[in-house]
Amino acid sequence: EAGVTQFPSHSVIEKGQTVTLRCDPISGHDNLYWYRRVMGKEIKFLLHFVKESKQDESGMPNNRFLAERTGGTYSTLKVQPAELEDSGVYFCASSQGEQYFGPGTRLTVT
Amino acid sequence: AQSVAQPEDQVNVAEGNPLTVKCTYSVSGNPYLFWYVQYPNRGLQFLLKYITGDNLVKGSYGFEAEFNKSQTSFHLKKPSALVSDSALYFCALTHNTGKLIFGQGTTLQVKP
């Protein structure tokens, strides 16, 4: 069984540019979560999808972040425009019980 | 408010010695507690969880954790450390919402 995959593994962009991160959950998992770890701090929750619906987006930092989950399959997280403080590692997890995490996308905004 | 604290940024142990990685939590009600491990260039891997029942929980790779309600702690332990256990360890909790609340992480360094 394939695990959670994320693309790209690493992205370096300039301040003001746009970046889109992608997460492919484990097939059949209705729940999809986005988290991020900034500057070696704790991993923080961003949002939670149940199928294609946003169940909880209380962790989204501001309106520069837009998450979608078309058809309840893969999800994208777009940052537009990116700021320096958006640098960090963005993790995706999917679950039907236990949360299984992807390897993360390391975003560097210069 | 719910929170998780991992008071040590780094723990150093010699191979073969017992190890403990500390975690304390704050939550109203009963928590679901987890330990995850992250190896370099890998995603978070689930180690073990406490939901209810026995306070001593056994997990993957010989790790175990003890839930202590009076001390609000959930320390991760292993009787004999291996060099391959060197990684970044995260304690986390959830409380009926699904989303995980993580501690800051503790780097475990096991030296030969």
Side-chain angles (χ1 to χ4, degrees), chain A residues 79-92:
Chain A
V79 185
Q80 180 182 28
E83 298 290 344
L84 298 178
E85 63 264 25
D86 300 332
S87 296
V89 181
Y90 290 75
F91 291 103
C92 173

Side-chain angles (χ1 to χ4, degrees), chain A residues 35 37 42 45 98-99 102, chain B residues 36 43 49 98-100 103-104:
Chain A
Y35 296 87
R37 188 176 190 226
E42 69 270 26
F45 167 82
E98 301 303 331
Q99 290 190 32
Chain B
Y36 284 85
K49 67 180 178 183
K99 69 182 182 185
L100 291 169
Q104 288 186 294

Side-chain angles (χ1 to χ4, degrees), chain A residues 4-107:
Chain A
V4 177
T5 58
Q6 292 186 245
F7 182 82
S9 58
H10 194 179
S11 179
V12 181
I13 61 172
E14 294 183 352
K15 176 182 172 180
Q17 290 185 323
T18 297
V19 63
T20 300
L21 313 181
R22 174 169 170 147
C23 169
D24 286 78
I26 293 172
S27 178
H29 281 191
D30 290 338
N31 295 284
L32 188 150
Y33 301 82
W34 283 98
Y35 296 87
R36 74 172 178 178
R37 188 176 190 226
V38 175
M39 296 279 295
K41 296 185 178 179
E42 69 270 26
I43 300 169
K44 286 196 171 181
F45 167 82
L46 295 177
L47 88 159
H48 171 205
F49 284 100
V50 177
K51 297 185 180 179
E52 68 275 11
S53 299
K54 292 177 184 174
Q55 181 76 12
D56 180 356
E57 51 184 330
S58 61
M60 294 288 264
N62 53 61
N63 59 10
R64 295 185 293 103
F65 288 74
L66 175 64
E68 295 180 325
R69 190 180 182 193
T70 307
T73 55
Y74 70 91
S75 175
T76 58
L77 180 65
K78 180 189 287 188
V79 185
Q80 180 182 28
E83 298 290 344
L84 298 178
E85 63 264 25
D86 300 332
S87 296
V89 181
Y90 290 75
F91 291 103
C92 173
S94 72
S95 83
Q96 285 292 71
E98 301 303 331
Q99 290 190 32
Y100 293 87
F101 282 78
T105 293
R106 181 173 295 278
L107 175 63

Side-chain angles (χ1 to χ4, degrees), chain B residues 4-82:
Chain B
V4 176
Q6 293 180 243
E8 302 153 317
D9 289 336
Q10 182 158 326
V11 171
N12 297 310
V13 297
E15 188 174 30
N17 282 1
L19 69 87
T20 299
V21 182
K22 296 180 180 177
C23 171
T24 59
Y25 66 90
S26 175
V27 68
S28 55
N30 296 319
Y32 299 162
L33 294 159
F34 301 81
W35 276 101
Y36 284 85
V37 59
Q38 185 181 19
Y39 297 101
N41 301 315
R42 302 284 296 278
L44 294 166
Q45 293 181 35
F46 169 80
L47 273 181
L48 52 79
K49 67 180 178 183
Y50 172 83
I51 303 296
T52 187
D54 288 342
N55 290 341
L56 186 64
V57 179
K58 294 187 183 298
S60 306
Y61 312 120
F63 284 93
E64 58 189 29
E66 186 168 10
F67 173 66
N68 187 318
K69 190 171 184 177
S70 63
Q71 296 185 5
T72 62
S73 67
F74 189 57
H75 300 332
L76 181 70
K77 299 180 179 183
K78 187 173 183 180
S80 179
L82 299 172

